[in-house]
Amino acid sequence: MIKRVCALLMTFFILTSWSVSAEEMNIDELLRVFTNKVSGSRARDYTMRLWRYDKWSTLPMWKNTMKEVRSIMRERAFDEAEVVDTPADGVTQFGTWTNPLGWDVKQATLEVIEPANIPDEYRYLCNYTDNPTSLNNWSCPTPPGGIETGLVLLENPDPEELKKLDAKGKIVLVDSGSRGLKRYLAEYGVLGLVSDEIEEQNSDFINANQWLNGWTDLPGGWLMSASDDRHQFGFSISQKKAGYLRNLLRQGTTVRVRAVIDSRYYTDDTIPYATGCVKGTEPDGQEIIIGGHLLEWGANDNCTGSSAILEAIGTINDLVRSGVLPAPGRTIRLWFGHEVYGSNAFTVYNLERLRTKAIASVNCDSPAVDHELSTTSVTMVLNPNCAPSFTDALFAEIIKRYHERYIPYKHWHTEPYIMMDIFPDPMVGVPTNAITLYNFYGERTHHNSMDTIEKVDPRSLHDLSTLMAVYVYYLACAGYDETPLIERLTFDRGVGVILEKSRDMTLRLTADGDGNALGKALDEGSRTISYYAELQKQALRNIERLVQEKNRAETQKDIARYMKKTDEFCEFMTGQYREAVREKAEKESLKIVKYSKGKGTWEQEAETIIPKRTTIGTITLEGIPRDQWKVVKSSSRWWSPTNWGNASYWWCDGRRNLNEIRELVELEAGRPVVNFDLIAYYKFLKEQGLVEFVQK
């Protein structure tokens, strides 16, 4: 396929007076084509078109956002473009994530009515139509004339401190933890909260306020569901305003406020996601998935990510339709939704196709801030260990070449998997990388009122769009002719991973001070190096999915050679590590004691438990009464290597016992499972129908 791409590219370059040779084609030439055809300015216009709706954070506006996505896909002549509705009833679940209630707000204000002589800057605290982030999502309505009541200060956002406070019928001022306090408000008769919490502690942002998008009674929860109490509200104000109010309250001054909120809840509507595609030519129907989340306040987070996707795939489609590039063999399918809620719904509705047809996926998450900032750098997120793939190496190579040729003054790096969607979940099985321009030390706009359209830089959007266009198009076209390069890249990256793990384990030896500790370090280090070598072999095997059956045997032979080389390198590095342990023992006159991992009562029982999952995604505990929760005290909805509940859940395939699962989790996290009883947790999940125990 890429040979045909090269031929057309050569024609294109000749017609445009570019002089290139055939040897320079493929990734480099695709980069050259797309960097000249992608428009960061157009992507910025898309950002504005989406943000004009998203910034209001209401269900009616979210629906308009998705219609706008569909309009843009149709403008770019995608083969499919549709909006898919899912219930906004606060009950329907996709996996264990519950779709939210419908919520709308027309206007909301908060103003100080006593004392009467304060400056207007501090009197008028919040106005939703001027600043939509000033009202917590899912805040309840007030009576038409509003509520006039006292403001009281909670110095420590702790439920026990709130209980002691004389706050019944009043509004509480807090500096953090508003989401966690929500479920105690009804119990203590508190009407609502005013918070000046903010993620980014930057003195330049003293006038900024946080966007508070979660309002639920579920510990660790997010969007409001039907089981949540609907009689509280929340406001978000700047630290400057809050500081003024705190001084008054600490001096004993009575502060009274008027809150007016015109909002409503409803359960008879829908929350949408949007999807579309550029169809491939191959009859087997394989697909590349690309997507991003919307339906959040920020222009950067994440209207920019979704706009970059639309520009990337729109440019691919333009070049194909104009004859500059051949149509890809694989279909390129897009999705846009409410982050994990939306991707879960998309996954459930398309699960069989994802499992059987999707080769790989990429997720683009914000932002596209000032290109000139030294802290604006591309981050590529790797696959989790349960989904090893060649895509980690291929995408990194494209990013590396782009930076070397076009933005050598900018940085880029990779990071371990963080959850943005659930496609790499083994129950779905789609290798997934994410690409971001996260910038925590420059603009500092994440989830606050400063994330506005003027912060969006078309040059950064150009970078994101170009990288995604090249990667997705290359994958959509890749076949047998491309496997030699992909095999080499995957092997080279695998060597680097094995080398890094060997170095990490060697550095840990400095903390081991006796023969027993050295024996344990020798065992753990050798297992770690071997484990990561096996992951690299699995990534090589994943390349087979790119080739048709007629070329499968030859590809398998090539992969087998690289796998053998991987084994040889693993053996070499393991030998190096063992030598390092022996040298340390000799230097410190220690005798290495052979480590034997004993089996206590816990381990013996864990060997008998073989859990098999019953649902996709991560466990939120939504719908399970809190008094029935065991082991966990907060919803562990986000996957991370040290979130023992969800990290272990993705390994539950009905073949591994809990001892084996615990070891896999510890190898990925790089530390032991502590303060978390996997046996008790999985018995709890079994009671809730979230796992089955397989009998040997």
Side-chain angles (χ1 to χ4, degrees):
M1 180 63 170
I2 297 296
K3 288 181 177 177
R4 292 199 293 124
V5 175
C6 290
L8 277 170
L9 287 176
M10 178 63 77
T11 301
F12 176 71
F13 293 139
I14 291 172
L15 292 175
T16 54
S17 301
W18 290 357
S19 177
V20 296
S21 65
E23 291 78 11
E24 295 174 314
M25 295 294 186
N26 298 335
I27 291 175
D28 292 340
E29 295 308 325
L30 287 175
L31 284 168
R32 187 182 299 186
V33 169
F34 281 109
T35 198
N36 281 281
K37 291 299 180 180
V38 159
S39 171
S41 296
R42 185 164 49 207
R44 199 266 189 195
D45 290 342
Y46 293 162
T47 301
M48 182 67 243
R49 290 172 61 177
L50 300 178
W51 188 64
R52 62 178 171 164
Y53 301 121
D54 258 7
K55 67 180 181 179
W56 300 107
S57 295
T58 65
L59 182 57
M61 289 301 179
W62 287 348
K63 297 175 81 168
N64 287 336
T65 300
M66 290 305 166
K67 291 176 183 176
E68 195 69 22
V69 170
R70 181 178 61 191
S71 295
I72 293 170
M73 289 192 288
R74 288 175 175 174
E75 289 168 15
R76 301 303 290 267
F78 288 10
D79 294 307
E80 293 178 9
E82 64 175 325
V83 173
V84 180
D85 291 325
T86 69
D89 55 8
V91 175
T92 299
Q93 289 191 333
F94 295 98
T96 66
W97 291 62
T98 306
N99 265 24
L101 290 171
W103 180 73
D104 191 15
V105 58
K106 302 302 182 184
Q107 173 61 320
T109 59
L110 181 68
E111 63 177 298
V112 176
I113 57 176
E114 184 182 342
N117 59 345
I118 65 173
D120 286 351
E121 180 182 5
Y122 303 107
R123 176 177 304 283
Y124 300 108
L125 299 173
C126 300
N127 187 317
Y128 171 79
T129 56
D130 290 342
N131 175 14
T133 66
S134 64
L135 181 71
N136 282 37
N137 284 16
W138 284 277
S139 286
C140 72
T142 64
I147 294 172
E148 295 183 3
T149 188
L151 183 71
V152 295
L153 178 61
L154 181 64
E155 297 281 11
N156 180 11
D158 180 270
E160 289 302 314
E161 295 300 315
L162 179 63
K163 183 178 181 179
K164 299 174 186 175
L165 195 66
D166 178 19
K168 187 174 182 179
K170 300 176 182 178
I171 298 173
V172 174
L173 175 62
V174 297
D175 63 1
S176 60
S178 61
R179 186 181 299 187
L181 288 173
K182 192 270 177 190
R183 67 189 178 103
Y184 299 100
L185 300 184
E187 181 179 352
Y188 303 142
V190 181
L191 298 180
L193 299 174
V194 180
S195 174
D196 67 329
E197 60 189 276
I198 193 164
E199 282 184 33
E200 308 295 352
Q201 294 298 325
N202 186 323
S203 60
D204 294 338
F205 277 31
I206 195 169
N207 291 309
N209 65 276
Q210 188 76 3
W211 173 59
L212 299 171
N213 62 332
W215 201 234
T216 172
D217 298 329
L218 184 74
W222 188 359
L223 305 186
M224 180 176 275
S225 69
S227 63
D228 291 316
D229 192 290
R230 307 177 205 175
H231 297 91
Q232 301 83 38
F233 53 78
F235 287 96
S236 177
I237 63 176
S238 69
Q239 293 178 339
K240 184 177 181 180
K241 290 180 178 180
Y244 183 89
L245 295 175
R246 280 196 184 89
N247 286 336
L248 292 178
L249 292 168
R250 286 169 179 162
Q251 293 166 12
T253 303
T254 297
V255 178
R256 291 180 58 80
V257 296
R258 180 187 297 116
V260 182
I261 304 172
D262 180 7
S263 66
R264 70 183 181 105
Y265 302 111
Y266 48 106
T267 61
D268 58 350
D269 210 328
T270 57
I271 182 170
Y273 69 79
T275 183
C277 77
V278 172
K279 289 183 178 179
T281 60
E282 299 298 332
D284 59 7
Q286 287 186 334
E287 296 185 347
I288 308 301
I289 311 298
I290 183 169
H293 74 269
L294 282 165
L295 314 189
E296 292 199 354
W297 141 259
N300 266 300
D301 186 19
N302 183 37
C303 290
T304 54
S306 296
S307 296
I309 292 167
L310 291 165
E311 174 60 18
I313 309 308
T315 303
I316 290 174
N317 202 37
D318 290 347
L319 292 170
V320 168
R321 287 176 175 270
S322 65
V324 174
L325 296 176
R330 298 181 180 90
T331 291
I332 300 169
R333 187 166 300 277
L334 305 86
W335 73 268
F336 305 90
H338 194 303
E339 206 153 8
V340 183
Y341 292 93
S343 66
N344 280 10
F346 175 85
T347 298
V348 170
Y349 286 168
N350 299 277
L351 186 55
E352 187 58 28
R353 185 167 65 192
L354 288 167
R355 285 173 170 171
T356 60
K357 300 298 183 183
I359 296 298
S361 171
V362 61
N363 187 311
C364 186
D365 199 344
S366 64
V369 294
D370 188 352
H371 190 274
E372 297 300 325
L373 289 173
S374 61
T375 50
T376 303
S377 62
V378 168
T379 300
M380 190 196 89
V381 178
L382 303 167
N383 282 283
N385 285 4
C386 62
S389 175
F390 66 87
T391 62
D392 287 348
L394 177 60
F395 202 4
E397 178 69 12
I398 290 170
I399 295 171
K400 178 176 76 72
R401 294 195 192 187
Y402 179 73
H403 278 72
E404 288 174 348
R405 287 161 175 75
Y406 301 104
I407 48 172
Y409 51 91
K410 302 298 294 182
H411 301 288
W412 73 278
H413 64 284
T414 63
E415 286 187 357
Y417 175 72
I418 56 175
M419 181 178 156
M420 296 178 183
D421 54 49
I422 64 166
F423 298 139
D425 173 355
M427 284 192 75
V428 183
V430 184
T432 302
N433 298 102
I435 183 171
T436 79
L437 273 169
Y438 274 121
N439 181 348
F440 291 115
Y441 302 104
E443 293 273 8
R444 292 180 177 265
T445 61
H446 187 251
H447 280 201
N448 65 52
S449 58
M450 303 295 283
D451 190 358
T452 51
I453 191 66
E454 65 270 15
K455 302 294 193 306
V456 175
D457 192 328
R459 295 169 298 177
S460 295
L461 280 169
H462 177 271
D463 293 340
L464 286 173
S465 299
T466 301
L467 290 169
M468 286 188 293
V470 173
Y471 175 65
V472 169
Y473 183 76
Y474 189 92
L475 265 184
C477 297
Y480 175 69
D481 290 339
E482 286 65 59
T483 57
L485 171 63
I486 297 173
E487 288 162 1
R488 178 177 60 78
L489 293 174
T490 305
F491 172 74
D492 289 348
R493 181 182 180 276
V495 166
V497 170
I498 296 168
L499 185 64
E500 178 184 8
K501 294 301 173 181
S502 176
R503 182 176 63 247
D504 290 346
M505 300 311 295
T506 302
L507 290 173
R508 290 188 191 182
L509 292 175
T510 58
D512 299 315
D514 60 34
N516 287 306
L518 281 179
K520 184 178 181 181
L522 178 59
D523 177 79
E524 291 181 348
S526 299
R527 283 190 296 110
T528 297
I529 296 168
S530 177
Y531 165 73
Y532 277 93
E534 182 58 35
L535 288 181
Q536 308 320 306
K537 290 162 65 178
Q538 292 179 39
L540 284 163
R541 291 190 193 100
N542 191 244
I543 298 171
E544 292 181 24
R545 301 189 69 186
L546 293 174
V547 300
Q548 296 178 345
E549 188 62 37
K550 64 181 180 180
N551 300 121
R552 191 70 54 82
E554 190 62 33
T555 300
Q556 289 172 342
K557 289 180 183 178
D558 293 338
I559 290 173
R561 287 193 288 270
Y562 278 110
M563 290 173 64
K564 182 180 178 182
K565 292 180 180 179
T566 301
D567 283 333
E568 291 170 351
F569 187 70
C570 173
E571 184 177 352
F572 173 76
M573 293 310 302
T574 302
Q576 290 279 87
Y577 177 71
R578 289 172 178 163
E579 183 62 30
V581 176
R582 286 194 292 268
E583 288 178 359
K584 181 174 175 62
E586 292 174 2
K587 181 178 180 180
E588 300 186 11
S589 301
L590 297 172
K591 181 179 179 180
I592 300 172
V593 178
K594 185 176 181 180
Y595 175 71
S596 178
K597 192 172 184 178
K599 291 184 181 179
T601 303
W602 191 96
E603 286 77 14
Q604 292 177 31
E605 184 177 0
E607 277 191 342
T608 69
I609 298 175
I610 304 173
K612 183 179 180 180
R613 300 168 53 188
T614 61
T615 188
I616 63 167
T618 54
I619 302 299
T620 66
L621 305 179
E622 292 172 356
I624 303 173
R626 290 196 303 275
D627 59 6
Q628 296 180 23
W629 292 9
K630 297 177 182 177
V631 182
V632 293
K633 296 181 180 180
S634 181
S635 173
S636 54
R637 66 183 58 244
W638 295 103
W639 188 100
S640 78
T642 55
N643 180 339
W644 309 122
N646 278 323
S648 61
Y649 193 63
W650 280 13
W651 291 108
C652 296
D653 58 359
R655 296 190 296 271
R656 301 179 176 94
N657 65 47
L658 276 183
N659 264 340
E660 295 167 325
I661 290 170
R662 182 177 69 174
E663 181 176 19
L664 289 168
V665 170
E666 291 177 340
L667 284 165
E668 184 160 15
R671 69 184 203 183
V673 173
V674 292
N675 300 322
F676 194 91
D677 188 342
L678 286 171
I679 292 177
Y681 180 68
Y682 277 94
K683 287 181 177 179
F684 160 61
L685 293 188
K686 182 175 183 292
E687 292 171 1
Q688 303 301 327
L690 294 168
V691 296
E692 303 167 347
F693 285 178
V694 176
Q695 300 299 318
K696 288 186 178 180

